Amino acid sequence: SKYSMLVTNGTHALQMAYEALDIGWGDEVLVPASTWQATAAAALDVNAVPVLVDVDLDTWCLDPKAAEAAISSRTKAIAAVHLYGCMCEMDAVLDIARRHSLYVVEDCAHQHGSQWRGKGAGTIGEIGTFSFQQSKVMTSGEGGGILVQDDKLFGRLDQLRNCGRYSPHLPQEQQRYLQSGNFRITEWQAAVLLGQLERLPEQLTQREACGQRLNAVLAEAPGVRPLKRHEGVTQQSYYCYAFRFIPEEWE
């Protein structure tokens, strides 16, 4: 990623992402119906309206067709949540966003290190957000992260993180003071995360091999189905391993 920043938690990361994209009163954000509540709550926190759309039964991630059907004149963004051990079908999401002039915010709270066609999760849409809460693949007890590729967006996010002050990363004439709060992480938390970041590549390799093995075994078992790994996924991280239960195949 060109830029990254650490913030207080994953919920604040999402809220800041929506604010940085000027999403606010009356705007709509398409949110998958199966996700942690923060994906929708962060939209409410900026006075926008989360619009719940159905998920793909094979991945439990946002169904692109359902998302496109839910677009209205007020829709501003798609929240692409990469859930458990799957990534959204990002080719379709990006195509929809391009055709309807929408932003894509990736919620990567479960996907530290996953890649879509060689691009890291969180670097594919306009803004990617992460959680470092205690149950996550990388954790600082609490904490969040943001990835962004655009200079002006990074400067605006930097302002939002730091009480609305001017950012040193943008010329002053391109800025104005913003209404915001303190969303800064501590140096101690950052140090804990940097230590885990060094170990992440090896951990990803091991978890991915175990996940692929489980998929192969479960594919042969009756009454359960492994979740689909889209051909676009070139590296898969796992927040937890999930699979489908098929009740009609059981007594």
Side-chain angles (χ1 to χ4, degrees), residues 53-67:
V53 299
D54 208 351
V55 296
D56 183 335
L57 191 61
D58 292 327
T59 63
W60 301 351
C61 295
L62 183 89
D63 182 341
K65 292 180 180 178

Side-chain angles (χ1 to χ4, degrees), residues 80 96 116 140 153 196:
I96 292 167
W116 181 271
S140 49
L153 264 182
Q196 291 174 69

Side-chain angles (χ1 to χ4, degrees), residues 148-243:
V148 63
Q149 314 312 310
D150 179 82
D151 297 349
K152 289 184 178 180
L153 264 182
F154 177 71
R156 185 171 172 85
L157 286 161
D158 191 37
Q159 283 191 271
L160 289 168
R161 173 177 63 169
N162 191 27
C163 306
R165 297 185 177 104
Y166 278 8
S167 169
H169 301 285
L170 283 179
Q172 285 201 9
E173 60 271 17
Q174 295 183 15
Q175 303 184 65
R176 58 179 175 81
Y177 288 113
L178 301 177
Q179 163 56 33
S180 191
N182 173 6
F183 300 123
R184 302 184 299 264
I185 202 171
T186 66
E187 291 183 355
W188 187 89
Q189 290 169 290
V192 169
L193 289 168
L194 284 170
Q196 291 174 69
L197 190 61
E198 295 176 358
R199 301 171 56 196
L200 186 63
E202 181 182 354
Q203 291 175 342
L204 283 171
T205 299
Q206 184 172 352
R207 288 181 181 133
E208 187 167 29
C210 292
Q212 299 249 40
R213 175 62 179 153
L214 269 171
N215 282 343
V217 171
L218 282 184
E220 301 298 322
V224 293
R225 297 283 186 281
L227 295 181
K228 176 183 176 182
R229 176 173 172 146
H230 193 280
E231 54 89 18
V233 175
T234 47
Q235 183 167 277
Q236 183 63 65
S237 180
Y238 289 90
Y239 170 65
C240 62
Y241 183 86
F243 57 89

Side-chain angles (χ1 to χ4, degrees), residues 13-14 17-18 21 23 29-30 39 77-82 90 93 103-108 125-129:
L14 280 167
Y18 295 148
L21 296 169
I23 295 170
V29 178
L30 303 185
T39 315
I78 302 173
V81 181
H82 307 305
M90 291 306 295
V93 170
Y103 297 120
V104 174
V105 175
E106 292 180 80
D107 182 340
C108 311
E126 274 69 34
I127 299 175
T129 68

Side-chain angles (χ1 to χ4, degrees), residues 26-48:
D27 296 328
E28 294 177 351
V29 178
L30 303 185
V31 174
S34 179
T35 182
W36 178 243
Q37 58 88 23
T39 315
L44 291 171
D45 288 339
V46 299
N47 298 311

Side-chain angles (χ1 to χ4, degrees), residues 78-130:
I78 302 173
V81 181
H82 307 305
L83 199 69
Y84 297 133
C86 290
M87 291 188 73
C88 281
E89 192 176 338
M90 291 306 295
D91 293 348
V93 170
L94 292 174
D95 176 64
I96 292 167
R98 176 185 56 79
R99 289 189 284 105
H100 294 275
S101 299
L102 304 177
Y103 297 120
V104 174
V105 175
E106 292 180 80
D107 182 340
C108 311
H110 291 181
Q111 296 298 307
H112 307 70
S114 287
Q115 294 181 2
W116 181 271
R117 303 196 189 282
K119 296 186 70 174
T123 70
I124 305 164
E126 274 69 34
I127 299 175
T129 68
F130 290 81

